[in-house]
Amino acid sequence: MPDQPARAASVPESEQRRQAHRIVSRLAPDEKAALLSGADAWHTVGLDRLDVAAVTLADGPAGLRKVADPEVGVMRFDNAARATAFPVPAALGNSFDPDVVDMVGRAIGEEAREQSVGVVLGPGINIKRSPLGGRNFEYYSEDPILSGQLGAAWVQGLQSCGVGACVKHFAANNQETRRMTADALIDEQTLHEVYLRAFEHVVRTADPWTLMCAYNRVNGSYCSENHWLLTELLRDQWGFDGLVVSDWGAVLDRVRSLAAGVDLAMPPDLARDAADIQAAIARGTLSPQGRDEACARVVELALKVSQGTTRELGRRVGAHHHVAREAAGRSIVLLRNRAVDANNHGSANPVLPLAHGAKLAVIGEFAANPRFRGGGSSQVVPMLLDIPLDEIRGRADEPVRYEAGFLLSGESDDELADRAVEAAEEAEVAVVFVGLPDDAESEGLDRTSILLPAVQTGLVQRIAAANPRTVVVLTNGGVVQLAEWSSEVPALVEASLLGEAGGSAIADMLFGEVNPSGRLAETIPLRLQDTAAYFNFPGDRNQVRYAEGLHVGYKWYNASQLEVAYPFGHGLSYTRFSYNGLHLAADESGLHARFTLRNTGARVGREIPQLYVALRTSAYRRAGFEFKASAVVQLAPGEQREVTLSVPPADLGVWDADLHRWLVEGGDYDVAVGASSRDIRLNGIVTVRGEARPRTLDRDSTVSEWLSSPLMAQFLAVQLANLATDPGAASDGAGPRDPQEFMSLAHDLRLSQLPVLAPQLHISREQIDQLIAAAGMDARPRPRRIDDSDVEGPDVSPR
């Protein structure tokens, strides 16, 4: 297969870039320096005399959050104009559907154009390393392939409207605790395969206009001052041609950050930034050419924004609310739906969907006062807000009794709880809304627990005992622990934070007007102690060791053979699907799995078949079965369709830390297709023709490593045979004579150690050098390579 991941994109210089360079050439030095920091916290510097307009930036992971008053501090998150509040990325991740995410991106782009916003700060595609991550609601998944696919769709949707996306937070920004100073210590393979992979996919496939560097450090170097990260990797290897902007306040030193690759510092330090840049140019410590190139990117961004579509879009409140409702409905995950015989009639039916004529009790403060967004930069001020209780009442034929049941403060209130249990006893079905309060999930803080408040879980247990037909609807951005309290609940719904139309989307799903099709983009563990980063989150002092390596999320639970509450990819439907006839193939375009999917139930529904692969024998660390592809397939009752899931070579690649690049390893791949990571319906094996790994052997490589060389293997075999038959060797005390015994002891010796530690072989250093040269290798000792996981210093990023 071609080495697709290793090739940087070829980006021809655009006319806008050439025009930007012409404009920059007409600027005075002080104008150039001023251009590289914002005019204020939310605008770039405009050049009126050259017709370069200022660009307005706005938050946007879950809808447009345009600051209404730029004079108010950046930490005031309630200071925003109204806009459509869409499902948070954690919810959209559960859709597994790039088309849905593209649709949301387009709607946000249209609203950005209406409000004269040129860049929307999103999507966030950081990996959910721990369920305690305070901004997990802003990120799509624990899996980098899925995160990359959905992030690229959001960028493409948004930028189709002539508005620039800002992919964030680059890189390894996986916690809020000490987010300004934490040093993420990550080995090179893990960094590329887990924490950079989604960014690389988005950069290569979606061409984002801007990218935001993170606050934290990676292997000793602040992201805002990391030349390897922002220039060598992002630009030189991946071919990124857009503008790099700092996270708000991430720049410590404007000159160092500009030299590393930060084009635009936000918010500006107006008293220092421009002066420091000019002084560094005058001293010769900063390149004028580098400064001018950064200026050209700022100007080019302004030209892109001004030359985008200018048609009047009008206020599309109703249309975008419909988009929000559609996206929310596609993001709801039905976790459990047991059959219950409530009246001992001998026939049991699943609790959901609800009958319109059923006598219902709705319980929980979140039903009347829904939590629909996360805190911080996701705090969108909605245009409309659907209330779950009102939407349920609007669909029910019988009066619906409502009781709050608990206080959001977490304080006990026996009277509220008793009334809720009484309502449940009187109803045919009790629908209970539980979740996390607003202050539990927000930018700036991590969670300390994955438990729901005890007043809520205790109430659920009482209600389930009082009414066997109980439905629990979860309102949360990050996962919550379900073990211990939910075992008696027959129907369980993961609603996440669904935006302004979540109330109607939940009612649509509960009454069967929408067949649930969401799938978990993050594993729900049985307990926090089972999670991979449990002992290394949020780290010690300012260091965070990513000791779990490649085993993040479902890869950890599978490798450790841990039971989970609900696995990655899980989600139920009101219908059933069968999988049949797996056919596998591999060619230069990738790996392909073809099978037949059939709706065997009585309702129209969407299935999301998922493909996982694992190489049987590998020369590298591997994480076992890994998610590689999925599809959303809608089928009518009895309908069947041939489905093909394909994995491009780039997504089959493994990172070689010696070669510092991707490599597609050849061999027999186990392929699993199923309804979740632990619900596999079809299995097969396919042989992939990969790239032969170039040998990088030298004198310090081990004997076992050198046995991969036919020349060296033959030489050692001869020496060992001579050793066994040497008549004078029995009494010299040099060590074992049996070849097998010798190899069991010597396989980890460096080749250069044999003359001293294995004198019985009679191998000289000169012979070793001659053999290495004959094998086409370098006979010189290998220079010691700095290991980025165990050396402290200003910058030990992989080079």
Side-chain angles (χ1 to χ4, degrees):
M1 288 187 176
D3 186 19
Q4 181 178 343
R7 294 200 303 266
S10 177
V11 183
E13 187 177 28
S14 67
E15 175 55 37
Q16 287 172 333
R17 174 62 59 85
R18 288 190 290 271
Q19 182 181 357
H21 277 296
R22 289 193 294 269
I23 290 172
V24 170
S25 69
R26 299 172 60 186
L27 299 179
D30 60 333
E31 291 178 304
K32 293 178 180 179
L35 196 62
L36 299 179
S37 298
D40 57 36
W42 297 104
H43 299 86
T44 65
V45 171
L47 302 169
D48 292 340
R49 69 182 180 86
L50 297 174
D51 295 324
V52 176
V55 177
T56 301
L57 301 94
D59 284 319
L64 193 67
R65 197 187 76 86
K66 180 184 178 182
V67 171
D69 182 1
E71 298 300 320
V72 175
V74 295
M75 302 305 291
R76 276 279 306 275
F77 295 118
D78 58 346
N79 173 38
R82 291 186 177 275
T84 305
F86 295 95
V88 299
L92 291 176
N94 292 340
S95 76
F96 270 64
D97 193 340
D99 290 341
V100 169
V101 178
D102 177 280
M103 175 178 68
V104 170
R106 287 175 184 271
I108 295 174
E110 289 175 352
E111 294 191 14
R113 293 295 300 177
E114 282 188 335
Q115 298 196 34
S116 300
V117 170
V119 173
V120 177
L121 305 181
I125 57 173
N126 296 100
I127 297 301
K128 300 181 185 184
R129 176 177 177 242
S130 165
L132 296 179
R135 287 178 92 170
N136 279 3
F137 61 87
E138 278 194 22
Y139 306 136
Y140 292 112
S141 177
E142 67 190 18
D143 183 82
I145 298 292
L146 181 60
S147 296
Q149 292 170 348
L150 299 181
W154 196 94
V155 170
Q156 289 164 341
L158 182 90
Q159 293 189 169
S160 69
C161 300
V163 176
C166 184
V167 184
K168 62 181 189 176
H169 309 85
F170 192 60
N173 182 233
N174 307 109
Q175 64 187 61
E176 295 299 285
T177 303
R178 298 184 296 277
R179 65 173 176 162
M180 301 285 185
T181 57
D183 187 4
L185 304 178
I186 315 174
D187 70 87
E188 185 175 334
Q189 184 183 358
T190 298
L191 181 62
H192 283 270
E193 291 194 19
V194 179
Y195 299 102
L196 296 176
R197 194 167 207 161
F199 287 98
E200 181 173 2
H201 178 83
V202 174
V203 167
R204 290 185 182 274
T205 63
D207 193 22
W209 292 3
T210 72
L211 179 143
M212 180 190 294
C213 79
Y215 293 115
N216 54 282
R217 292 177 286 169
V218 176
N219 292 331
S221 176
Y222 279 103
C223 292
S224 64
E225 298 178 0
N226 193 321
H227 187 271
W228 170 81
L229 184 71
L230 300 181
T231 298
E232 296 172 45
L233 180 73
L234 178 63
R235 296 196 183 280
D236 298 344
Q237 294 184 35
W238 295 357
F240 178 69
D241 197 40
L243 176 142
V244 173
V245 60
S246 71
D247 202 342
W248 268 231
V251 168
L252 290 81
D253 182 291
R254 187 64 190 106
V255 173
R256 289 203 301 265
S257 68
L258 180 58
V262 176
D263 302 306
L264 178 64
M266 295 295 288
D269 185 344
L270 297 174
R272 294 181 53 187
D273 284 358
D276 287 351
I277 290 172
Q278 287 187 270
I281 295 287
R283 290 194 305 269
T285 57
L286 186 66
S287 162
Q289 293 78 15
R291 174 204 58 191
D292 289 357
E293 189 63 34
C295 288
R297 294 190 188 107
V298 176
V299 173
E300 182 185 21
L301 177 65
L303 297 176
K304 283 182 177 179
V305 171
S306 66
Q307 293 178 16
T309 176
T310 57
R311 59 190 174 89
E312 289 295 326
L313 297 171
R315 181 64 68 182
R316 298 187 175 186
V317 176
H320 287 178
H321 188 76
H322 177 77
V323 170
R325 180 172 175 176
E326 172 74 11
R330 299 281 288 274
S331 302
I332 296 173
V333 183
L334 179 59
L335 297 175
R336 180 191 302 159
N337 191 24
R338 293 178 184 163
V340 177
D341 181 7
N343 300 311
N344 297 317
H345 289 158
S347 61
N349 295 304
V351 176
L352 294 175
L354 300 174
H356 290 275
K359 184 177 181 181
L360 305 176
V362 174
I363 297 163
E365 182 68 23
F366 294 109
N369 296 292
R371 180 165 173 247
F372 60 94
R373 64 188 180 188
S377 57
S378 287
Q379 202 164 305
V380 181
V381 180
M383 303 296 300
L384 304 169
L385 185 60
D386 295 345
I387 307 300
L389 176 60
D390 295 343
E391 297 296 329
I392 292 172
R393 281 175 166 162
R395 289 162 175 77
D397 296 337
E398 298 293 325
V400 175
R401 180 175 173 180
Y402 166 73
E403 296 292 344
F406 55 82
L407 297 172
L408 293 181
S409 66
E411 298 176 0
S412 298
D413 190 313
D414 293 338
E415 183 179 354
L416 283 180
D418 290 343
R419 289 207 303 267
V421 173
E422 177 188 279
E425 289 174 335
E426 296 175 352
E428 293 179 63
V429 182
V431 182
V432 188
F433 286 75
V434 299
L436 296 173
D438 281 328
D439 59 4
E441 297 179 291
S442 177
E443 177 176 353
L445 57 91
D446 287 320
R447 297 163 65 191
T448 58
S449 167
I450 61 171
L451 299 175
L452 284 172
V455 294
Q456 298 184 36
T457 57
L459 178 63
V460 169
Q461 290 176 306
R462 290 184 62 190
I463 290 173
N467 189 330
R469 297 180 68 82
T470 294
V471 180
V472 170
V473 179
L474 298 165
T475 302
N476 51 290
V479 299
V480 294
Q481 183 170 311
L482 304 177
E484 299 175 358
W485 64 267
S486 68
S487 58
E488 299 306 314
V489 175
L492 195 57
V493 177
E494 174 58 81
S496 191
L497 304 179
L498 293 177
E500 66 177 45
S504 55
I506 291 170
D508 291 340
M509 177 265 173
L510 292 176
F511 284 94
E513 295 167 14
V514 168
N515 194 343
S517 61
R519 301 292 185 267
L520 290 177
E522 181 181 8
T523 306
I524 301 179
L526 288 176
R527 57 182 193 154
L528 181 62
Q529 292 88 335
D530 292 339
T531 59
Y534 179 70
F535 290 108
N536 293 285
F537 186 96
D540 179 29
R541 294 171 296 171
N542 273 329
Q543 291 190 327
V544 187
R545 295 191 177 273
Y546 284 49
E548 68 279 3
L550 302 173
H551 293 94
V552 177
Y554 67 91
K555 301 167 192 174
W556 163 257
Y557 302 110
N558 290 348
S560 304
Q561 298 183 341
L562 288 169
E563 291 298 318
V564 299
Y566 294 98
F568 176 86
H570 171 77
L572 303 179
S573 171
Y574 293 149
T575 189
R576 299 178 303 279
F577 299 91
S578 67
Y579 293 65
N580 293 286
L582 179 63
H583 299 277
L584 299 174
D587 54 30
E588 290 187 354
S589 66
L591 185 155
H592 312 282
R594 178 168 51 87
F595 55 95
T596 300
L597 186 67
R598 186 170 185 266
N599 184 344
T600 61
R603 288 174 175 263
V604 174
R606 295 184 182 90
E607 177 68 332
I608 302 182
Q610 302 152 41
L611 185 145
Y612 299 83
V613 304
L615 181 58
R616 288 198 157 190
T617 303
S618 176
Y620 299 86
R621 273 189 310 150
R622 294 274 188 168
F625 276 98
E626 297 177 283
F627 171 84
K628 295 298 181 183
S630 63
V632 179
V633 185
Q634 179 170 306
L635 297 173
E639 182 183 1
Q640 68 179 35
R641 186 177 307 165
E642 188 174 84
V643 177
T644 298
L645 298 178
S646 294
V647 185
D651 291 345
L652 287 175
V654 63
W655 185 263
D656 188 306
D658 291 324
L659 302 176
H660 310 301
R661 67 175 178 85
W662 292 103
L663 181 145
V664 176
E665 194 177 11
D668 292 336
Y669 283 74
D670 283 310
V671 178
V673 175
S676 83
S677 59
R678 292 195 174 182
D679 183 6
I680 301 304
R681 308 293 181 86
L682 301 171
N683 288 281
I685 303 171
V686 65
T687 300
V688 173
R689 291 183 59 192
E691 176 186 354
R693 183 179 187 272
R695 289 177 298 185
T696 56
L697 303 175
D698 55 31
R699 290 175 55 191
D700 289 336
S701 298
T702 65
V703 169
S704 60
E705 290 173 331
W706 266 108
L707 289 177
S708 64
S709 164
L711 183 65
M712 187 62 71
Q714 180 183 6
F715 172 74
L716 289 175
V718 171
Q719 298 304 110
L720 290 171
N722 293 338
L723 173 68
T725 59
D726 184 354
S731 61
D732 65 2
R737 300 295 167 182
D738 179 79
Q740 290 186 346
E741 182 183 1
F742 176 86
M743 286 304 299
S744 69
L745 294 173
H747 70 282
D748 276 340
L749 290 179
R750 293 194 298 270
L751 194 65
S752 60
Q753 293 175 308
L754 291 182
V756 175
L757 299 182
Q760 67 268 46
L761 291 180
H762 303 295
I763 299 176
S764 68
R765 294 184 184 278
E766 290 74 21
Q767 282 179 296
I768 289 176
D769 289 345
Q770 291 169 5
L771 284 164
I772 291 175
M777 300 298 174
D778 190 346
R780 293 173 299 173
R782 175 172 48 190
R784 184 177 183 274
R785 179 173 176 272
I786 294 176
D787 183 346
D788 46 328
S789 67
D790 64 8
V791 177
E792 294 183 1
D795 185 359
V796 290
S797 303
R799 298 288 176 177

